[in-house]
Amino acid sequence: MRAFTYERAASPRQAAQAAASTDHARFIAGGTNLLDLMKIEVETPTHLIDVNGLGLDTIEATEEGGLRIGALVRNTDLAADQRVRRDYAVLTRALVAGASGQLRNKATTGGNLLQRTRCPYFYDTNMPCNKRRPGAGCAALDGGASRQLAIIGASEHCIATHPSDMAVALRVLDARVETVDARGGGRSIPLADFHALPGDTPHIETVLEKGEFITAVTLPRPPGGKHFYHKVRDRASYAFALVSVAAVVQPDGSGRVALGGVAPKPWRDEQAEAALPRGAGAVVAKLLDGARPTPDNRFKVTLAERTLAAVLAEAKE
Amino acid sequence: MRFDQPADPNVADQGKVLGRPRTRIDGPLKTTGTAPYAYERHDVAPGQLVGYPVVSAIAKGRITAMDTRAAKNAPGVVAVVTTLDMERLPKAKMNVVYLFGGREIQHYHQAIAVVVAETFEQARAAAALVRTDYDEDRGASYDLAEQRQAHLDDEVEPASRVGDFERAFADAPVKLDATYSTPGQCHAQMEPHASIAEWKDGTLTLWTANQMVEWSRQALAKAFDLPPEKVRLDSPYIGGGFGVKLFLRADAILAAVAARETGRPVKVALPRPMIANNATHRGLTIQRIRIGTDRDGRITAIGHDNTTNTPPGGGGEEATIPTEHFYAGANRLLVHRPLEMHLPESNAMRAPGDTAGQMALEIAMDEMAERLEMDPVAFRVLNDTQVDPGKPERRFSERHFVECLRRGADEFGWSHRNRRPGDRRDGVWLIGHGMAGAYRGAPAQASGARVALRPDGRVRVDTDMTDIGTGSYTIIAQTAAEMLGVSVDAVEVGLGDSDSPVSAGSGGQWGAASATAGVYAACVALRERIAERLGADAATLELVDGQVCHGGETRPLAGLAGDRDLVAEDKIEFGDFRDKDYVLATFGAHFVEVSVHAYTGEIRVRRQLAVCDAGRILNPITARSQVIGGMTMGVGAALMEELKVDTRRGFFATHDLASYEVPVHADIPEQTVIFLEGEDPYSTPLKAKGVGELGICGVSAAVANAVYNATGVRVRDYPITLDKFLDQLPLPA
Ligand SMILES: Cc1cc2nc3c(=O)[nH]c(=O)nc-3n(C[C@H](O)[C@H](O)[C@H](O)COP(=O)(O)OP(=O)(O)OC[C@H]3O[C@@H](n4cnc5c(N)ncnc54)[C@H](O)[C@@H]3O)c2cc1C
Ligand code: SF4
């Protein structure tokens, strides 16, 4: 870990200003991802801006009938919120399928969205990785172990997945990300547009600009229907998804579906959802059209279809 | 004391303390965080510095240059010692790869420097500043399957040949020829390798976490060209070992070179992500098993051909071991092919040979039973043997494998099992049942101890035996309590100090049996000292409740030698009758129920049952802990654990605990362990054998067989992850 300086932000805007005006600065929220990466020098910030204590830890009703979730709301608190459990159950289910109780107590809504990939080569600084060092090459694609990695949305420069469970649920809920920037402006970014595909710049992972700070995540009115989050992994708990399915299914069989564990971002295609009444095969065929798996992770195509089939069968019960 | 013939009835048979359930005497220290583990021994030597390892970024080649200037100038740094500063340090024969010194790189994450600073954070930060240039040897193959193909026609002297296997196999009316593979596995022990080293007055002291104190004292003496008496090791608490702490490792060497360089004590731990590649692992295997039987299911031919990885000079994972003695059959052929590859060092991990071997053999037995349309329990019962199948004049000292099978089948409700693979459903879950046999040898090693009767009547036992979380402290205290007629609370046990008598150490499941036998020997000697004091005959001496009775008189043990300790030291040595005339082993049967999600292939173990036959169980609580630990590790090996080889670069890519998955609580169901009552007088004076390794043997195959029974898809390649069978699993209608 490199030496760094530290400050406590006074306000969201001041946090954004500090981050915009300092080179190699990072916000620190729960620290559960950032500190691990700093210890192995995958992240080497020279300045940390602590954004805890800015009062962004509440969940409020919005005028539109949805919820505004403060960026510093802990994953545990978000999962346990009565309104979330009742009206956005897919989110609760996704959250509790992630990490462990201790980690969820620290992990925040904003930090969770920005957690970095779990590609094993990203974690091993001896290995070439375009995400860590643009232009260095990609060990995973160059004959490496890629069972966990992406089958779609990736590029020849990087096949890392975005590992968040929460984000997959937020994607089916049509969530938006609210930010402030150093000038005091702000925007509301649909989650669909929030994460960037790697292309030839895999080190750029979101559309956030320098210094831009997440203040909240907003949810529109509850979608109704039955909510599912089925996360498949090699052990029963405490592992990242091989494939996960977040779904909201309406009584008439229509609904929404997003996949986790398959792509550099939560993977959803509103057009594929039109095929829901025809079953999982039809949906996944469209959703994963153009998938380019490696021999190690080809099974994810079958697994995605079968996991969705399990969800749809359960929805019928 | 020599153990030259089967044990007679003796004082240890009383069963007042030994054989009784007793929670660990070191338990409170551990649960309160006050047991002094190596890395936290700040009190033992003042002025400690912290060393942080630097490890190789390539698997094979040579270092051409190292630039340590930036590291040396970093805040807090006291010294940087690199592998180029010295010739290769001599290694003990137990180690396969060299630990430090010289330019040559033998494997990924080999230690190449240690950066020493005032604090951990300073050392770690500076370690990242060391720049190393390599001349990398490319083109080596790191793919065991590919290497096996290339070497398939190599002439290999069989490890063992009995009768005419080829002929008998060709003639067998029912047969199986199947190939199985097991991946590299990581010990994934809780406590990382850690050592504090200090040089003082020509003596090197190492506070460390090591299973085999004397081996490692000798190894350290050799590495630094010191007389062994100038080396002291202290290893009282060990947070798990499983074999990875049997031998000296880089933490000890780096701490010692750094302490020598700086003239101050230095502590070094291996960071978690370095352990998988820097330390040892269970080697990969590809195993071809052939079994032929007559029409009734009697094995006539059994062949086991194993290929495994090893660095030059090592033996790899000797997976043929169980096949030598486990089942009957007149014609047998075992072939072991360690292929030299430049992966990290494969070496002993919990039940080396037997674990990987039974992962394959016990699936093969299941497949064979199926071909014969026999109950797999009955098939094993039929092929039980009471003699060494290769040398029938040697018989098993005690072998109750059939009883394990029958008792297990009964308790588990095996008769209610699912009989047709893929046939039983519980909602979306397919239910399967599987079983396997378990076999592990019961070796013993010479072991010494010193026992002192204190003036206050308390007893102190010292031996360099180790407790790697197994319960050694407790069973040793129980042994002394039984032998000297005192309560366990009156016994103090000191372990892991090389100043104490040399013991068997913890390895090969010999620790419990051998070390308690050593304590027995010392206690017999102490009883003689007590008898001498009283002018009595040791044979008639009665020691009960802290009192000694002889000639109708009773007096307290306290004060027997005035205000001095009464001390005796002895060791147990085992005669060769144990191995010459008998086969000593432990046996078990595992029964498992799993459910497999019919859509996704997710596997959940629902219940596990083990029946064990391991001679006298010295303490049912600590023994059970060993077995459930083995059962848990066996589930990990069956379903998730894999050191995934990067075959292009030659290292294990899954080298942290996020990517190398071991079972979590949610993976482990109800576990039942039954120990058969029994004693093995051929084993030790206490008639005990080990259970620590038996516990893992056969477990993974039982899980694998249950998965097959649930799904109807046979997976012969561990770990059994859903990607290996999902496309063959029919989707529910
Ligand atoms: C062992 C382990 C297992 C895990 N398992 C899972 C799992 O199964 N599923 C899963 O989804 N996740 C899992 N996680 C990841 C976990 O969810 C994330 O680490 C956590 O959500 C990150 O939140 P944080 O607040 O701690 O982020 P931090 O570590 O504080 O920050 C992460 C990043 O976000 C930035 N950041 C934080 N807040 C803001 C903000 N408001 N605006 C702009 N930038 C910000 C930081 O600068 C940093 O770059 C696991 C983590 C660990 C360590
Ligand atoms: S897949 Fe992406 S994160 Fe992984 S090594 Fe390649 S570039 Fe790096």
Side-chain angles (χ1 to χ4, degrees):
Chain A
M1 186 186 272
R2 305 256 176 99
F4 56 86
T5 50
Y6 169 90
E7 75 174 287
R8 248 178 236 267
S11 70
R13 181 170 174 198
Q14 188 265 320
Q17 278 168 342
S21 60
T22 322
D23 279 338
H24 308 296
R26 280 266 192 265
F27 303 118
I28 179 161
T32 60
N33 192 224
L34 183 61
L35 290 175
D36 279 2
L37 293 171
M38 286 170 67
K39 288 177 194 166
I40 54 174
E41 298 202 4
V42 169
E43 296 263 19
T44 50
T46 50
H47 184 64
L48 290 187
I49 303 157
D50 189 338
V51 295
N52 292 280
L54 295 182
L56 298 174
D57 53 357
T58 58
I59 305 172
E60 285 152 17
T62 62
E63 280 171 19
E64 297 77 40
L67 291 179
R68 172 175 286 106
I69 302 158
L72 274 294
V73 171
R74 308 287 154 175
N75 288 178
T76 299
D77 297 330
L78 181 56
D81 186 88
Q82 283 307 321
R83 293 160 292 183
V84 175
R85 291 178 61 174
R86 187 185 60 225
D87 298 332
Y88 306 95
V90 63
L91 180 55
T92 291
R93 295 198 173 123
L95 282 163
V96 299
S100 67
Q102 296 92 325
L103 284 159
R104 294 193 298 266
N105 288 343
K106 284 301 275 180
T108 64
T109 309
N112 191 315
L113 283 178
L114 292 173
Q115 64 173 291
R116 308 203 65 193
T117 186
R118 294 284 164 168
C119 170
Y121 300 98
F122 176 71
Y123 271 78
D124 189 335
T125 47
N126 290 327
M127 292 295 138
C129 170
N130 289 324
K131 196 184 265 304
R132 259 192 288 105
R133 283 225 345 250
C138 168
L141 272 168
D142 183 18
S146 58
R147 182 167 177 271
Q148 287 283 342
L149 303 183
I151 56 174
I152 194 159
S155 72
E156 66 272 29
H157 300 283
C158 178
I159 55 168
T161 54
H162 191 268
S164 168
D165 292 299
M166 181 191 81
V168 186
L170 290 179
R171 180 72 181 89
V172 286
L173 292 172
D174 288 329
R176 300 176 76 91
V177 181
E178 292 188 348
T179 67
V180 296
D181 60 29
R183 295 179 304 278
R187 47 178 180 157
S188 168
I189 309 162
L191 190 71
D193 303 331
F194 181 77
H195 293 105
L197 293 182
D200 55 9
T201 53
H203 58 292
I204 299 172
E205 295 175 350
T206 68
V207 298
L208 290 181
E209 280 164 16
K210 190 168 185 211
E212 198 170 357
F213 173 67
I214 301 175
T215 50
V217 168
T218 57
L219 297 179
R221 297 173 66 84
K226 286 190 184 176
H227 290 217
F228 300 91
Y229 191 76
H230 194 136
K231 179 179 182 183
V232 181
R233 43 193 156 173
D234 291 324
R235 62 181 172 192
S237 175
Y238 206 34
F240 289 92
L242 295 168
V243 164
S244 68
V245 170
V248 175
V249 185
Q250 302 299 341
D252 65 1
S254 69
R256 310 170 183 183
V257 176
L259 300 180
V262 296
K265 60 192 275 186
W267 201 247
R268 180 176 173 200
D269 174 352
E270 280 78 348
Q271 284 175 7
E273 288 164 4
L276 265 172
R278 285 188 285 130
V283 177
V284 171
K286 179 95 178 81
L287 195 52
L288 295 184
D289 186 22
R292 288 179 55 191
T294 66
D296 269 4
N297 65 21
R298 182 159 294 137
F299 73 96
K300 288 190 176 187
V301 176
T302 317
L303 182 59
E305 181 183 330
R306 296 181 68 123
T307 309
L308 181 58
V311 164
L312 296 182
E314 206 183 329
K316 282 205 189 108
E317 275 168 14
Chain B
M1 177 184 289
R2 283 196 65 80
F3 187 68
D4 272 332
Q5 59 188 52
D8 290 325
N10 61 47
V11 192
D13 289 327
Q14 300 170 97
K16 289 186 192 149
V17 193
L18 271 177
R20 301 274 167 132
R22 166 79 212 198
T23 55
R24 291 186 199 189
I25 62 173
D26 50 330
L29 286 179
K30 294 193 174 165
T31 50
T32 56
T34 47
Y37 284 90
Y39 200 68
E40 288 128 27
R41 301 193 68 180
H42 304 144
D43 56 318
V44 291
Q48 293 176 18
L49 296 168
V50 180
Y52 196 89
V54 180
V55 289
S56 166
I58 65 165
K60 188 169 187 296
R62 273 155 308 281
I63 296 176
T64 52
M66 292 182 83
D67 182 351
T68 58
R69 282 168 300 180
K72 281 183 171 144
N73 289 329
V77 171
V78 178
V80 178
V81 185
T82 81
T83 189
L84 302 183
D85 296 341
M86 62 197 73
E87 298 285 303
R88 245 183 189 174
L89 295 178
K91 70 173 182 64
K93 71 174 188 306
M94 298 291 192
N95 288 79
V96 183
V97 299
Y98 286 86
L99 294 174
F100 198 66
R103 287 183 184 276
E104 193 192 336
I105 298 298
Q106 293 185 296
H107 64 94
Y108 191 69
H109 276 184
Q110 175 178 320
I112 56 172
V114 57
V115 175
V116 193
E118 296 290 344
T119 71
F120 171 77
E121 288 75 13
Q122 290 168 334
R124 181 176 60 186
L129 299 173
V130 175
R131 294 283 161 262
T132 307
D133 295 326
Y134 303 93
D135 174 9
E136 187 176 359
D137 289 348
R138 290 173 204 265
S141 166
Y142 301 106
D143 184 335
L144 185 65
E146 187 184 285
Q147 284 296 296
R148 179 173 180 263
Q149 275 308 319
H151 289 275
L152 222 44
D153 297 328
D154 290 4
E155 284 289 318
V156 178
E157 184 63 29
S160 141
R161 177 187 275 288
V162 178
D164 184 349
F165 168 79
E166 286 82 358
R167 176 77 177 269
F169 185 70
D171 291 348
V174 186
K175 59 184 133 191
L176 170 86
D177 180 348
T179 301
Y180 307 85
S181 57
T182 65
Q185 291 166 352
C186 185
H187 304 73
Q189 80 287 357
M190 189 81 94
E191 180 203 24
H193 302 260
S195 294
I196 300 173
E198 181 185 46
W199 295 79
K200 208 173 177 180
D201 310 326
T203 297
L204 169 59
T205 304
L206 195 77
W207 295 271
T208 189
N210 192 288
Q211 299 173 227
M212 299 294 298
V213 168
E214 179 60 15
W215 289 2
S216 297
R217 186 172 77 108
Q218 296 290 348
L220 211 50
K222 180 160 187 193
F224 292 100
D225 194 19
L226 293 167
E229 57 284 3
K230 292 287 182 193
V231 179
R232 181 176 162 236
L233 248 76
D234 192 22
S235 177
Y237 294 100
I238 300 161
F242 310 115
V244 80
K245 293 174 185 162
L246 282 172
F247 320 120
L248 207 60
R249 303 294 335 158
D251 57 309
I253 293 286
L254 295 181
V257 295
R260 187 173 61 180
E261 174 72 20
T262 58
R264 284 170 65 180
V266 176
K267 68 173 182 173
V268 176
L270 291 187
R272 182 67 65 182
M274 293 180 192
I275 292 177
N277 287 285
N278 177 274
T280 59
H281 65 281
R282 187 195 302 288
L284 294 75
T285 71
I286 301 175
Q287 307 176 43
R288 180 184 184 198
I289 296 184
R290 285 175 288 175
I291 304 177
T293 66
D294 64 18
R295 293 208 185 281
D296 299 333
R298 281 196 182 75
I299 295 173
T300 52
I302 186 161
H304 198 153
D305 186 324
N306 173 55
T307 308
T308 181
N309 62 297
T310 176
E317 180 71 5
E318 208 177 332
T320 53
I321 286 180
T323 312
E324 189 173 3
H325 294 134
F326 200 177
Y327 295 110
N331 303 286
R332 321 175 70 87
L333 178 63
L334 307 185
V335 180
H336 178 58
R337 305 167 193 267
L339 298 183
E340 290 190 356
M341 290 167 67
H342 290 270
L343 287 168
E345 175 173 331
S346 50
N347 212 321
M349 175 166 154
R350 200 173 197 172
D354 272 309
T355 300
Q358 285 165 62
M359 286 171 81
L361 177 64
E362 290 299 303
I363 298 185
M365 290 296 284
D366 201 61
E367 297 203 56
M368 216 34 217
E370 190 177 26
R371 287 190 186 191
L372 289 157
E373 294 180 21
M374 278 180 85
D375 175 350
V377 171
F379 178 52
R380 288 174 173 84
V381 170
L382 183 68
N383 286 292
D384 184 50
T385 173
Q386 291 294 322
V387 297
D388 175 349
K391 296 193 195 75
E393 64 282 6
R394 278 173 88 209
R395 71 168 178 84
F396 282 96
S397 58
E398 290 284 337
R399 171 167 168 141
H400 306 283
F401 178 46
V402 170
E403 210 179 322
C404 292
L405 291 164
R406 296 212 163 113
R407 178 85 185 273
D410 258 14
E411 301 275 346
F412 186 77
W414 184 243
S415 58
H416 304 297
R417 72 189 182 279
N418 172 43
R419 280 164 203 267
R420 274 235 330 256
D423 227 26
R424 192 173 294 181
R425 282 272 293 268
D426 174 5
V428 292
W429 295 94
L430 297 160
I431 306 299
H433 300 101
M435 58 81 51
Y439 179 96
R440 180 68 180 160
Q445 303 277 340
S447 196
R450 183 170 58 241
V451 185
L453 175 61
R454 292 270 165 84
D456 60 3
R458 293 178 60 81
V459 171
R460 163 98 195 174
V461 185
D462 286 288
T463 159
D464 84 356
M465 179 59 190
T466 49
D467 188 324
I468 61 174
T470 40
S472 310
Y473 276 105
T474 311
I475 56 172
I476 284 172
Q478 285 176 284
T479 304
E482 185 80 70
M483 292 297 296
L484 301 173
V486 298
S487 75
V488 173
D489 299 328
V491 185
E492 230 173 79
V493 182
L495 297 184
D497 188 336
S498 65
D499 286 348
S500 298
V502 174
S503 75
S506 299
Q509 113 163 347
W510 63 60
S514 310
T516 53
V519 173
Y520 168 89
C523 288
V524 168
L526 185 61
R527 289 174 67 98
E528 277 158 15
R529 300 289 315 274
I530 294 170
E532 270 166 31
R533 281 255 141 199
L534 301 172
D537 174 5
T540 62
L541 208 62
E542 270 186 71
L543 301 179
V544 186
D545 295 338
Q547 319 259 351
V548 49
C549 321
H550 101 96
E553 259 181 68
T554 300
R555 54 171 294 181
L557 281 172
L560 206 62
D563 55 3
R564 289 187 307 119
D565 286 358
L566 206 54
V567 185
E569 183 178 328
D570 198 5
K571 69 173 174 207
I572 190 93
E573 288 173 293
F574 294 90
D576 60 3
F577 83 99
R578 245 177 141 264
D579 297 323
K580 226 173 63 206
D581 307 332
Y582 301 94
V583 191
L584 275 86
T586 59
F587 307 89
H590 289 279
F591 292 82
V592 171
E593 179 176 296
V594 302
S595 56
V596 181
H597 197 288
Y599 287 89
T600 61
E602 290 157 279
I603 302 169
R604 300 284 179 266
V605 179
R606 290 197 165 188
R607 50 193 181 106
Q608 285 183 282
L609 173 117
V611 183
C612 301
D613 163 27
R616 171 180 280 149
I617 298 303
L618 298 166
N619 178 339
I621 293 182
T622 53
R624 177 176 182 276
S625 291
Q626 284 300 292
V627 177
I628 62 173
M631 289 159 82
T632 302
M633 221 166 173
V635 169
L639 300 180
M640 62 195 81
E641 293 186 35
E642 176 171 18
L643 284 169
K644 179 85 183 158
V645 181
D646 182 317
T647 52
R648 193 158 129 43
R649 299 168 193 83
F651 75 106
F652 299 126
T654 48
H655 59 65
D656 59 29
L657 289 181
S659 51
Y660 186 86
E661 290 179 21
V662 297
V664 295
H665 285 286
D667 290 299
I668 300 304
E670 178 194 332
Q671 296 177 317
T672 309
V673 181
I674 297 167
F675 293 106
L676 296 185
E677 296 264 321
E679 319 177 322
D680 191 337
Y682 299 86
S683 182
T684 74
L686 271 58
K687 301 158 186 152
K689 300 189 275 203
V691 294
E693 296 189 327
L694 176 66
I696 190 176
C697 294
V699 178
S700 307
V703 174
N705 295 337
V707 171
Y708 167 70
N709 182 256
T711 60
V713 187
R714 185 68 81 175
V715 179
R716 299 185 182 84
D717 175 27
Y718 289 98
I720 301 173
T721 47
L722 54 90
D723 46 307
K724 294 176 183 164
F725 62 87
L726 199 57
D727 54 349
Q728 298 167 65
L729 193 64
L731 254 186

